[in-house]
Amino acid sequence: MTDSVTWELRGRAAVVTIRLPQVRNALGPREAALLGRTISAAAAHPDALGVVLTGEGAFSAGGDLPAIVEAIEGRDAAGVSEFVYRDFQSMVRALRECPIPTVAAVDGAAIGLGLDLALWCDARFLGPKAKLAQGWATLGLIPGTGGAKVLQELLPGALWHLLGQRPMNADQAAALGVGVRSDDALAASVDLIEGWVPVGRPALEGYAALSRSHLPDDTYLQECARIQGQRLTSESFAVTAQAILAR
């Protein structure tokens, strides 16, 4: 494991932390794949009753644009779709298949891919610096990690009101029902999991499995990857990405 993603056991909570503060925890394909593997490794610890997903300095500001542009160079739409499914979507498959409950401790930016990660978790705490937005659309992309369906299930109709809008702060997001406002999102997440000690891991595994029927299946994720491959190889994305990178 590299230092860009780490995990540690805090009591009965397996805390997975994204540590790329220089880019506000934006993720390229390699970091995304590492995060997926780390979530699975953390959940496998026999003493863990839940997994907390968080980030150093931010939750995740989305995809790492320079890394993505580098990764798609020379690939056609089908080739890009393949690595979107293999690398980026490995994170959300790890959350969907996590044997124990997952909690997002969101403080700082959770944009686009970052918002998707928070939404895939079973519960969310929102710290005072939380900023949440559906940021894919500003790049001409779709929620390539399945966030459109997850958001639709959690908050029907909210997607259309978030497109192109400014980020929501913690109070606004909590008022919509995205998560629970907390002065210390990480501490609240760990405390929540500590409260599950009387329940025990076997029962928690049952609750986790039964509560995720609304999450996107692989057929949906493959369709997201297919559409995202088309968008990432489009001329409009190339123009937008070049303009952003030239700033």
Side-chain angles (χ1 to χ4, degrees), residues 85 89 96 120 142-150 152 159 215-227:
Y85 178 81
Q89 292 181 356
R96 184 187 65 197
W120 275 82
I142 58 99
T145 44
K149 180 173 174 58
V150 182
Q152 176 65 17
L159 173 67
L215 293 177
D217 59 16
D218 266 22
T219 299
Y220 182 89
L221 289 177
Q222 287 166 359
E223 181 63 5
C224 288
R226 184 189 69 80
I227 297 172

Side-chain angles (χ1 to χ4, degrees), residues 117-180:
L117 286 173
L119 293 173
W120 275 82
C121 290
D122 298 312
R124 287 155 294 279
F125 285 98
L126 310 172
K129 296 180 181 179
K131 297 290 182 183
L132 297 85
Q134 205 289 333
W136 303 91
T138 57
L139 290 170
L141 302 175
I142 58 99
T145 44
K149 180 173 174 58
V150 182
L151 183 61
Q152 176 65 17
E153 294 288 344
L154 180 66
L155 300 167
L159 173 67
W160 309 108
H161 296 284
L162 294 180
L163 288 176
Q165 299 299 309
R166 292 181 177 178
M168 300 178 290
N169 62 31
D171 292 329
Q172 293 167 329
L176 280 177
V178 174
V180 176

